[in-house]
């Protein structure tokens, strides 16, 4: 059996395990990975440590003091940073993966700093995005929504926005951005885990009565209408401003003065030059996928990643109320397969 076959078999076993969602998955010891994870530790332990950190700041607060949190979740490279900038430009505090930043400190045994959520009296609505991956398996399998709820964030103050992007495009972006820090096999492995973890997170949200909206990156081909529909669905119609979609200054840590994006303090190893594309508006950016081998493309189909995306497309079409003509224009053959 050649190395490619061994790798493919390993991926299939992991994919099957994630789909079955056994408790043993959370208790499995996760080995150290360079500077990114220096402890042998289970996902269950990491999540408990992050939960305890957050609960220290949540525990004494009355439910009405928590702002409405529009919580976006997705694998890395699905347009989540652009969405974070967008919400910040609309005028509300917009947080860049605050829970994941705590998890990363936990993975190396550092002291944990809680996320300080503003009072609802000052900020009735806030946005945060959390992404899965790319460096270690714990980043790809953790459930930040569960952490928030277990820590004491009121369920009725949460709305989950499930993000996704065409699988080959987002994976090609993973490999382009991070291949100097992790092998392609590691990135593909963690990518598959992150993509399949979407089902676990969405199921968790629905079991706990949290509203869910599916929002797929390809709708940004028609940015103004898509964002307007999203804000309507989130009850944020009064916050929507077309100019905030079409006219930005700078993005990233040096964002425009009117963008209220709050970036976490993270170790220097997470500073990746040109990770986030500078742009002047919220818009779709095409990603070339010619660098992906047929073997990798086959993995996306065989491990069920493409199936998850088809379900995301169908859910997004329904949640945003898109017409068949618009859906076909935005998603092409993916919509035909999902319909």
């Amino acid at each position: 059996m050649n190395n490619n076959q061994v790798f493919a078999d390993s991926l299939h076993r992991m994919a099957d395990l994630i789909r079955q969602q056994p408790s043993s998955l959370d208790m499995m010891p996760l080995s150290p990975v360079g500077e990114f994870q220096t402890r042998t530790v289970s996902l269950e332990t990491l999540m408990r440590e992050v939960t305890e950190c957050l609960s220290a700041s949540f525990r004494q607060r009355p439910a009405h003091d928590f702002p409405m949190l529009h919580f976006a979740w997705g694998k890395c490279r699905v347009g989540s940073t652009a969405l974070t900038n967008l919400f910040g430009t609309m005028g509300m505090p917009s947080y860049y993966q605050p829970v994941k930043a705590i998890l990363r400190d936990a993975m190396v045994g550092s002291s944990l700093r809680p996320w300080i959520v503003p009072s609802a009296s000052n900020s009735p609505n806030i946005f945060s995005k959390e992404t899965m991956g790319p460096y270690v398996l714990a980043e790809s399998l953790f459930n930040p929504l569960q952490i928030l709820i277990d820590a004491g964030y009121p369920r009725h103050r949460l709305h989950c926005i499930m993000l996704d992007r065409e699988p080959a495009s987002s994976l090609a972006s993973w490999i382009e951005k991070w291949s100097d820090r992790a092998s392609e096999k590691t990135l593909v492995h963690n990518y598959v885990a992150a993509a399949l973890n979407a089902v676990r997170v969405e199921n968790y949200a629905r079991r706990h009565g949290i509203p869910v909206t599916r929002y797929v990156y390809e709708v940004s081909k028609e940015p103004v209408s898509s964002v307007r529909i999203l804000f309507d669905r989130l009850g944020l119609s009064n916050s929507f401003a077309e100019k905030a979609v079409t006219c930005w200054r700078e993005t990233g840590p040096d964002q425009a003065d009117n963008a209220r994006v709050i970036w976490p303090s993270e170790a220097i190893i997470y500073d990746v030059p040109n990770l986030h594309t500078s742009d002047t508006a919220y818009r779709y950016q095409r990603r070339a996928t010619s660098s992906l081998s047929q073997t990798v493309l086959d993995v996306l189909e065989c491990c069920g990643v493409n199936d998850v995306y088809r379900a995301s497309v169908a859910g997004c079409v329904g949640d945003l109320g898109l017409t068949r003509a618009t859906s076909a224009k935005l998603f092409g053959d993916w919509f035909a397969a999902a319909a």
Side-chain angles (χ1 to χ4, degrees):
M1 186 179 295
N2 61 41
N3 290 336
N4 285 339
Q5 187 59 52
V6 171
F7 178 64
D9 289 346
S10 174
L11 272 176
H12 289 148
R13 287 194 298 272
M14 180 193 68
D16 288 341
L17 186 63
I18 295 172
R19 278 191 290 265
Q20 293 163 14
Q21 302 183 35
S23 57
S24 60
L25 186 65
D26 293 337
M27 294 182 288
M28 178 176 62
L30 302 173
S31 300
V33 182
E35 294 180 89
F36 300 108
Q37 180 183 324
T38 57
R39 309 164 60 192
T40 296
V41 63
S42 69
L43 183 62
E44 180 183 55
T45 296
L46 289 170
M47 289 185 52
R48 184 180 67 252
E49 291 174 355
V50 178
T51 299
E52 290 172 352
C53 172
L54 287 174
S55 66
S57 63
F58 290 175
R59 192 181 302 122
Q60 304 302 322
R61 297 178 64 163
H64 63 79
D65 190 49
F66 286 84
M68 187 68 197
L69 171 55
H70 307 279
F71 171 89
W73 179 95
K75 59 197 176 189
C76 293
R77 312 307 295 172
V78 292
S80 59
T81 299
L83 206 59
T84 306
N85 279 304
L86 174 66
F87 274 80
T89 304
M90 293 287 187
M92 70 184 72
S94 187
Y95 294 86
Y96 182 95
Q97 52 195 45
V99 179
K100 185 178 180 180
I102 304 172
L103 178 85
R104 284 176 161 175
D105 283 339
M107 291 191 302
V108 296
S110 295
S111 59
L112 306 186
R113 295 159 291 182
W115 174 28
I116 305 302
V117 177
S119 170
S121 60
N122 296 323
S123 302
N125 289 281
I126 63 175
F127 173 89
S128 76
K129 71 103 169 202
E130 299 288 348
T131 58
M132 302 298 103
Y135 300 111
V136 302
L137 194 56
E139 291 180 323
S140 298
L141 291 178
F142 86 111
N143 184 342
L145 189 60
Q146 180 182 344
I147 289 171
L148 287 173
I149 292 174
D150 288 348
Y153 209 104
R155 299 177 193 181
H156 69 283
R157 306 299 289 163
L158 290 162
H159 190 125
C160 185
I161 308 167
M162 297 295 298
L163 307 178
D164 209 342
R165 182 183 184 182
E166 190 277 315
S169 297
S170 49
L171 177 55
S173 186
W174 277 46
I175 293 172
E176 177 187 331
K177 297 296 184 180
W178 294 309
S179 60
D180 63 331
R181 301 184 179 210
S183 70
E184 180 172 317
K185 286 186 176 181
T186 294
L187 293 172
V188 172
H189 181 275
N190 292 344
Y191 178 86
V192 170
L196 297 181
N197 196 38
V199 178
R200 295 210 307 163
V201 175
E202 183 173 339
N203 287 345
Y204 181 88
R206 295 190 185 282
R207 284 199 309 271
H208 289 79
I210 299 168
V212 174
T213 294
R214 277 73 60 92
Y215 188 82
V216 176
Y217 178 67
E218 282 69 28
V219 300
S220 62
K221 293 174 183 177
E222 295 191 357
V224 173
S225 61
S226 297
V227 172
R228 180 183 286 113
I229 294 170
L230 175 63
F231 271 59
D232 286 347
R233 183 173 170 89
L234 297 176
L236 297 173
S237 301
N238 293 336
S239 298
F240 177 81
E242 183 171 328
K243 186 177 180 181
V245 182
T246 60
C247 183
W248 292 352
R249 296 183 198 174
E250 295 294 325
T251 58
D254 299 320
Q255 71 276 2
D257 293 340
N258 64 336
R260 302 174 66 187
V261 178
I262 298 94
W263 297 73
S265 175
E266 290 193 303
I268 192 67
I269 56 173
Y270 296 110
D271 183 11
V272 179
N274 302 314
L275 178 61
H276 304 301
T277 303
S278 180
D279 208 339
T280 58
Y282 178 72
R283 72 184 100 207
Y284 174 76
Q285 296 195 25
R286 187 176 301 278
R287 171 70 59 180
T289 61
S290 57
S291 61
L292 299 182
S293 68
Q294 188 58 50
T295 299
V296 169
L297 294 175
D298 289 344
V299 161
L300 299 179
E301 184 65 39
C302 294
C303 288
V305 175
N306 289 346
D307 287 338
V308 172
Y309 179 70
R310 293 182 189 104
S312 294
V313 168
C316 181
V317 168
D319 289 346
L320 301 190
L322 304 178
T323 66
R324 292 187 64 85
T326 297
S327 301
K329 178 181 177 182
L330 296 175
F331 301 114
D333 291 343
W334 289 103
F335 171 65

